[in-house]
Every structure is written in structure tokens, then in C-alpha cells.
Amino acid sequence: RANAYPGLLPEHLSQVVPYEYAARDKLSIHSYLTLPGGSDSPPLIVLPHGGPQSRDDLSFDWQRQFFASQGYAVFQPNFRGSSGYGDAFIEAGWGEWGGDMQTDIDDGVESLIRDELVDPKRICIVGSSYGGYAAMMGVVSRPDLYKCAVSYGGVSDMADMYNHALEQ
């Protein structure tokens, strides 16, 4: 049997748990939370997935495990538009880049703060592709919530993306 990470033992991994919350319009959002050991109120990395028609799940994710090993809680919301929850959930994300999809992420972070699971003063949003767009939009629209943002390969020119899609 092949092992992509031969030095990584199960005791090195942080537990990943489902975390469900209600968006401001009462839509139920499924997400995953990884908490590091040894901290009652860890800093948080919000890690929205790309796509946006994709999703996070409980399978091994090297990125969340790396951040957790460094003492960060990691939050991965499956905001509206994510796959795996039916057509109506996907369609609820149509036209909602920067709108309800973004506030779904923010609402999850605020739920974690209310539940006293993370440090509300140390929150960073990180992503690539659509997740990178969400990171850039998050720090612009909610500088009170996010103290930093990292976008790598994030969508930053919607008109160019649209025109590129038309050329295909």
C-alpha cells in the first residue's frame, strides 16, 4: 500500500469535526473545524475552498493539518454554491460571489466566535481560486473580522474570467 506521507503518524494529526451553523437567512451550512491541541482560544485560519462548485470533507487535507500543527484552528465552510448538497444548494450560489456566499463564510466565523472556539482578534482568511477571491473579498468587506488575508491564484479580474470562459 502506498503512503504519500510516510513520516506522518496518526498521533500527529488533529481531529477534524463537522460544524453546522445557520447563515443569516437561516440556510443550514455544513463545515469542518480542525482544532489544534493545547489552546482554549486558538487563532483561526478560514480556508474557503476553490471552485466554487466544489466542497471540503473529512478526508485527509494536508493544508488544514499543517496549519493545525502550527497552533491554528482551521475552518472550512461549504458555503452555498458548494457541491454535494443538491442542485438547489448549488443554484443558491448563482450570482452570489461577494454576496450570500461571502456572508455564509462570515456567519460561520461569527458562530465560532459566539461558541468561544477561537480568538476573535486573530483571524486570517486564506484561499486559492474562488477561495482566494473569498479571501480578498473578506478582508475588504469585513476588516473588522479578518486581520489578514492570503490569496494565491485567486480570481481577481471577473471580467477577464468571464471573457476567458466565453473563448472556450
Side-chain angles (χ1 to χ4, degrees):
R1 152 185 122 141
N3 185 346
Y5 303 93
L8 187 60
L9 303 174
E11 56 267 22
H12 297 150
L13 301 177
S14 294
Q15 184 178 11
V16 181
V17 296
Y19 183 81
E20 190 168 335
Y21 62 95
R24 60 192 67 189
D25 65 356
K26 308 298 183 223
L27 182 65
S28 181
I29 306 291
H30 300 264
S31 66
Y32 297 95
L33 180 63
T34 307
L35 291 171
S39 178
D40 289 338
S41 187
L44 176 65
I45 292 181
V46 181
L47 198 58
H49 60 73
Q53 196 172 325
S54 180
R55 68 171 295 184
D56 286 305
D57 58 29
L58 284 171
S59 64
F60 177 76
D61 180 329
W62 69 268
Q63 199 170 26
R64 74 174 155 213
Q65 289 297 332
F66 171 76
F67 287 135
S69 77
Q70 302 303 303
Y72 294 94
V74 180
F75 175 59
Q76 295 172 286
N78 285 319
F79 42 83
R80 71 189 74 213
S82 299
S83 60
Y85 301 100
D87 290 340
F89 195 80
I90 289 172
E91 291 168 11
W94 291 356
E96 292 300 330
W97 284 44
D100 286 344
M101 290 167 64
Q102 193 72 38
T103 59
D104 287 350
I105 298 167
D106 300 341
D107 293 344
V109 172
E110 290 170 343
S111 181
L112 292 170
I113 293 168
R114 275 191 310 277
D115 289 345
E116 299 181 350
L117 295 171
V118 299
D119 183 342
K121 294 184 173 121
R122 298 186 297 161
I123 301 172
C124 187
I125 184 167
V126 177
S128 66
S129 185
Y130 175 79
Y133 169 86
M136 291 183 284
M137 184 58 115
V139 79
V140 167
S141 64
R142 291 295 308 274
D144 60 310
L145 189 61
Y146 303 106
K147 301 309 175 205
C148 78
V150 177
S151 173
Y152 55 101
V155 177
S156 61
D157 188 334
M158 297 296 287
D160 186 56
M161 183 178 149
Y162 177 77
N163 290 330
H164 179 73
L166 290 177
E167 293 170 1
Q168 300 303 318

